Amino acid sequence: MLRPWALMAALVLANAPAWAEDTLAHIASAGELRLGHREKSLPFSYKDASSGKVQGYTVDICLQIYEEIKKELKRPDLRLKYLLVDGKNRISDVKGNVVDLECGGTANTAARQKEIAFSHHIFVASSAFLVRKSSGIKTLDDLQGKKIAVQAKTTNENLLKANERTFVRKFNYVPVDSTLDAVNALSKGEADAAFADDAGIWIPLTRMGKAMDEYQFLEKRLSVEPYSIGLRKDDPKFKELVDRVTRRMIQNGEMAALYKKWFSSDQGTLPMSVFMKEALRRPSDIGVEQIAF
């Protein structure tokens, strides 16, 4: 007959989700690591249209974690299974044991940390202004009364309005439907600046070829959003392995090398923000509230 405390423990275990066991044990038992990727989250995580290959900045980091898992489990035969996740299900797919790692471009926020765990920050996105070098625009004060192309009804539009209120500025808005449209409006002379996430601006900017050298980002950013790799909560052993890999990549320069690989073109490299540089100096997995200034 079970003692009361033993009976209680047995009931808790019986009602625990199947994946609450060690994730590494689950991977070993299944013989595969399930990697969640995005369809078109360039350059972080996407499926190449011509080759069908899943690739990207975050995917490259997850592949390093995959290699570490093979060593940890002494399973060189461990399979890698790619599963598509999207903006709506990526967090629930981690929680529900659909994928073992969420390898996209996902912000590590305090709210999301209540649902899943995260790796160290692997990228820090920031809301940035793109201008023509010949415009003479160097600061936000120079943008007073200027036309700014920004995607309508987004956090970036709200950031501009908050900046206007705080610093008694006035911008003229050019509403667009996408970051690509914002960059196009700038290139056509319909706007004096394009405002969006720096990583999102980078892709359409590189498609300009040599003409991209005519543009530059202003140093001032209005928000900061760290990206991390998602994994299930309450599994310290698996998180320690993930953190071991990301910490090593940050400290030995591999992360910086991947940044250069994925955020470069023949015309140059996306300037690394001070926030990204700090992430590479001091590894952190802190979930943040949206930082705006």
Side-chain angles (χ1 to χ4, degrees):
M1 186 173 181
L2 288 174
R3 294 178 183 273
W5 62 266
L7 177 60
M8 184 178 295
L11 288 172
V12 169
L13 290 173
N15 288 291
W19 50 261
E21 66 182 81
D22 188 318
T23 300
L24 287 171
H26 183 278
I27 292 170
S29 176
E32 66 182 16
L33 171 69
R34 297 162 302 170
L35 189 155
H37 72 93
R38 300 297 296 274
E39 181 74 20
K40 296 179 180 179
S41 186
L42 285 78
F44 296 98
S45 177
Y46 64 100
K47 181 178 284 189
D48 183 73
S50 57
S51 67
K53 180 182 178 182
V54 175
Q55 55 191 17
Y57 174 82
T58 314
V59 173
D60 276 357
I61 298 169
C62 285
L63 290 177
Q64 294 271 19
I65 297 171
Y66 168 57
E67 293 299 325
E68 189 74 11
I69 292 172
K70 289 199 291 186
K71 292 177 184 176
E72 182 80 11
L73 298 178
K74 297 180 173 59
R75 289 287 303 272
D77 62 331
L78 190 71
R79 300 184 302 275
L80 180 62
K81 184 176 183 179
Y82 289 104
L83 293 172
L84 181 65
V85 298
D86 61 30
K88 294 180 180 178
N89 68 17
R90 54 186 166 170
I91 303 299
S92 61
D93 279 356
V94 173
K95 290 176 62 178
N97 195 32
V98 176
V99 298
D100 301 305
L101 292 172
E102 191 275 310
C103 305
T106 300
N108 180 350
T109 67
R112 285 174 175 162
Q113 285 215 352
K114 295 176 182 178
E115 301 188 74
I116 65 173
F118 285 97
S119 72
H120 293 120
H121 302 156
I122 60 169
F123 185 85
V124 184
S126 56
S127 297
F129 295 89
L130 184 72
V131 300
R132 286 185 179 274
K133 290 180 180 178
S134 60
S135 68
I137 296 172
K138 304 294 183 183
T139 69
L140 266 65
D141 286 334
D142 296 332
L143 284 170
Q144 176 81 1
K146 301 290 186 181
K147 294 180 291 185
I148 301 178
V150 61
Q151 190 170 351
K153 298 180 180 178
T154 62
T155 55
N156 282 327
E157 184 182 50
N158 291 336
L159 285 169
L160 287 177
K161 292 179 178 178
N163 190 272
E164 284 181 310
R165 292 192 298 270
T166 303
F167 296 98
V168 196
R169 294 189 176 111
K170 178 59 181 175
F171 304 129
N172 289 319
Y173 293 80
V174 179
V176 295
D177 294 327
S178 68
T179 299
L180 174 61
D181 290 339
V183 175
N184 286 340
L186 174 62
S187 67
K188 294 176 182 177
E190 298 169 355
D192 300 296
F195 183 65
D197 291 350
D198 52 1
I201 289 175
W202 182 247
I203 297 302
L205 188 59
T206 58
R207 292 172 181 166
M208 292 183 180
K210 293 182 179 180
M212 71 176 286
D213 192 48
E214 300 172 11
Y215 301 86
Q216 65 183 10
F217 288 99
L218 297 187
E219 184 177 353
K220 178 67 176 178
R221 307 297 167 97
L222 295 193
S223 74
V224 177
E225 204 169 56
Y227 292 173
S228 297
I229 294 164
L231 55 146
R232 280 181 291 283
K233 284 176 66 72
D234 303 321
D235 190 344
K237 186 176 180 181
F238 189 53
K239 177 164 169 53
E240 190 281 326
L241 183 146
V242 171
D243 287 348
R244 185 195 319 158
V245 174
T246 51
R247 185 185 303 110
R248 182 179 67 220
M249 294 182 71
I250 290 170
Q251 293 176 342
N252 68 12
E254 286 183 82
M255 198 80 77
L258 279 181
Y259 181 98
K260 186 174 182 179
K261 170 186 174 182
W262 287 104
F263 293 95
S264 293
S265 73
D266 292 340
Q267 283 69 49
T269 301
L270 174 67
M272 190 178 287
S273 70
V274 294
F275 311 108
M276 182 64 188
K277 290 177 181 177
E278 181 65 17
L280 296 182
R281 275 196 295 266
R282 296 182 178 86
S284 171
D285 64 353
I286 294 174
V288 300
E289 303 292 348
Q290 185 181 37
I291 303 172
F293 31 76

